Amino acid sequence: LCQFGSFVDSLRLYVRGGAGGMGYPRLGGEGGRGGDVWLVARERATLKGLRQRYPHKRFVAGTGANSSVRALKGDKGQDCEVDVPLGVSVLCEDGEQIGELNAAGERLLAARGGLGGSLATDFVPHKGQRRIVCLDLKLIADVGLVGFPNAGKSSLLSKMSHAKPQVASYPFTTVQPELGKLMYKDYKQVSVADLPGLIEGAHANRGMGHKFLKHVERTKQLLLVVDISGFQLSIKAPFRTAFETVVLLTKELELYKEELLSKPALLAVNKMDLPGARENLCELEQQLQQPHNFFHLLEEEMVPTRTLEFKDVIPVSTYTGEGIEELKACIRRSIDDEAERENEEYRKKQLQLLQPSA
């Protein structure tokens, strides 16, 4: 069981299909099949709620009815349905993935019921399948905020949306993912996930490590947030400029899963109200245009093999509100562009299917 504070994002369940019913050898009667255990994706379900309602985390389906003189074919045992949240991966105990549930109403068979007693089984019923399954939740959001602690991600989320994340002047304020909604005038909504701050070495499961990075996998786009004046995790840790911060964040994402770097990305440069911010921004923009020319400033193991291509670089200040509306507009534009691209690809595929093969 893994938690961010009170936020549960992983849960182990014991599931068992029902046993089959007894057969009736004298009259060739068949016992009913045992019930199945199904996982069903529901909009409002949470892993925390599931754990609270069923602290034993055991789910057993009903036994099949025995065959009798009155009913030679016994009824099937009652199925057991377990409501789970959207965005859950279902894994076996050995870590192999059984399936995923991403849309409301999707169902996954977790444990099959046993066969009833019949001629094929010498009229002896079979036991139901039993196993431990792990539910692994990855937040589904349109945009994932990525940044080191103190970059101002939580403040940015509260400025852009109606979310009320905990905000303070020390690192690691965010210990659990926060989901905010950006509302637009045409009623379009975009969900934004503020995830716990990365630290150097997160890919190796330091700090919140994989717990953070697995949530990034499900977001459609990345919004990197960096402090224009740089970042230092602690007195012992080296000071990082805004450019170095971008490079290090890229490296952490790459080391965890290189495909993350192919997601569309925006860069929000925060704290533009601080002294010297304009000069620092000019320098950062130059460095981002030709990042390879500045990699020699960093230790070799910190340099990513690929760089992130930012669709936009938006200077913002959560303190003064500068750039917030522009950032919201950029996010919307980026989401719409991506949706249009996916539609275009789908249209092309449909056309190819309609073409008679040569």
Side-chain angles (χ1 to χ4, degrees):
L1 171 69
C2 300
Q3 294 181 236
F4 297 111
S6 64
F7 179 87
V8 180
D9 72 339
S10 187
L11 201 59
R12 285 159 61 88
L13 308 177
Y14 171 81
V15 290
R16 192 176 86 215
M22 295 291 290
Y24 203 121
R26 203 153 54 89
L27 299 173
E30 285 186 19
R33 209 165 74 76
D36 304 315
V37 181
W38 292 89
L39 304 179
V40 186
R42 301 278 183 224
E43 285 281 2
R44 297 188 179 280
T46 65
L47 292 185
K48 185 183 175 187
L50 183 61
R51 192 187 63 182
Q52 284 172 339
R53 281 184 68 194
Y54 306 99
H56 298 303
K57 302 187 294 258
R58 289 172 61 86
F59 298 92
V60 180
T63 306
N66 296 335
S67 172
S68 65
V69 177
R70 286 185 188 158
L72 285 180
K73 185 154 180 58
D75 289 339
K76 183 177 185 287
Q78 192 167 3
D79 286 349
C80 171
E81 291 195 350
V82 185
D83 290 352
V84 300
L86 312 188
V88 154
S89 300
V90 186
L91 314 167
C92 292
E93 218 173 353
D94 61 6
E96 189 184 343
Q97 185 164 314
I98 304 166
E100 289 188 348
L101 294 164
N102 293 323
E106 278 187 358
R107 297 161 64 82
L108 184 94
L109 183 61
R112 191 180 290 282
L115 291 172
S118 66
L119 188 62
T121 67
D122 265 346
F123 298 100
V124 177
H126 286 188
K127 288 182 175 176
Q129 182 184 16
R130 62 178 71 196
R131 59 180 169 183
I132 303 281
V133 293
C134 302
L135 305 183
D136 200 13
L137 177 69
K138 295 176 185 178
L139 284 184
I140 300 175
D142 295 312
V143 181
L145 300 186
V146 178
F148 286 128
N150 252 24
K153 301 192 308 301
S154 297
S155 303
L156 191 58
L157 183 66
S158 60
K159 276 278 182 197
M160 288 196 298
S161 73
H162 300 295
K164 298 206 169 19
Q166 186 185 357
V167 177
S169 59
Y170 52 86
F172 298 115
T173 319
T174 304
V175 289
Q176 63 186 53
E178 287 276 356
L179 209 55
K181 284 256 195 282
L182 306 190
M183 312 289 281
Y184 292 89
K185 284 184 177 134
D186 61 355
Y187 302 106
K188 164 90 174 171
Q189 293 186 19
V190 171
S191 57
V192 181
D194 171 24
L195 305 156
L198 270 180
I199 60 167
E200 291 176 41
H203 68 278
N205 220 359
R206 285 196 203 138
M208 299 242 165
H210 286 185
K211 289 191 197 130
F212 164 89
L213 287 160
K214 74 171 188 183
H215 290 302
V216 179
E217 286 182 62
R218 282 278 171 96
T219 57
K220 295 175 187 166
Q221 310 213 356
L222 305 179
L223 173 59
L224 269 68
V225 185
V226 300
D227 183 333
I228 189 58
S229 56
F231 168 70
Q232 188 170 17
L233 182 62
S234 66
I235 298 165
K236 292 179 186 172
F239 175 79
R240 304 292 185 195
T241 65
F243 174 71
E244 288 171 341
T245 305
V246 171
V247 174
L248 284 169
L249 288 170
T250 307
K251 184 68 175 175
E252 285 301 335
L253 294 170
E254 178 187 88
L255 287 170
Y256 176 70
K257 199 167 266 191
E258 203 175 328
E259 302 93 86
L260 293 179
L261 299 188
S262 59
K263 287 180 184 283
L266 299 169
L267 176 63
V269 184
N270 196 13
K271 307 193 183 177
M272 287 303 294
D273 51 282
L274 295 176
R278 289 282 148 210
E279 295 80 359
N280 289 342
L281 180 64
C282 287
E283 187 183 356
L284 173 62
E285 284 174 334
Q286 285 174 345
Q287 289 168 319
L288 288 173
Q289 278 169 2
Q290 299 289 330
H292 296 89
N293 296 349
F294 300 92
F295 282 165
H296 65 276
L297 302 170
L298 286 149
E299 296 92 324
E300 202 174 321
E301 65 272 12
M302 291 182 180
V303 176
T305 51
R306 286 175 61 186
T307 53
L308 267 172
E309 298 288 325
F310 295 110
K311 293 176 110 179
D312 286 295
V313 177
I314 309 101
V316 297
S317 165
T318 54
Y319 183 69
T320 64
E322 175 198 341
I324 300 293
E325 286 307 312
E326 190 192 339
L327 176 58
K328 281 179 72 173
C330 286
I331 290 172
R332 174 65 192 273
R333 199 160 53 236
S334 182
I335 293 278
D336 288 350
D337 288 351
E338 202 54 29
E340 183 53 44
R341 192 183 64 76
E342 283 175 12
N343 286 341
E344 191 57 42
E345 279 182 11
Y346 176 75
R347 281 197 293 269
K348 278 182 186 166
K349 272 187 187 163
Q350 294 302 102
L351 278 170
Q352 280 171 351
L353 290 171
L354 291 169
Q355 302 273 329
S357 51

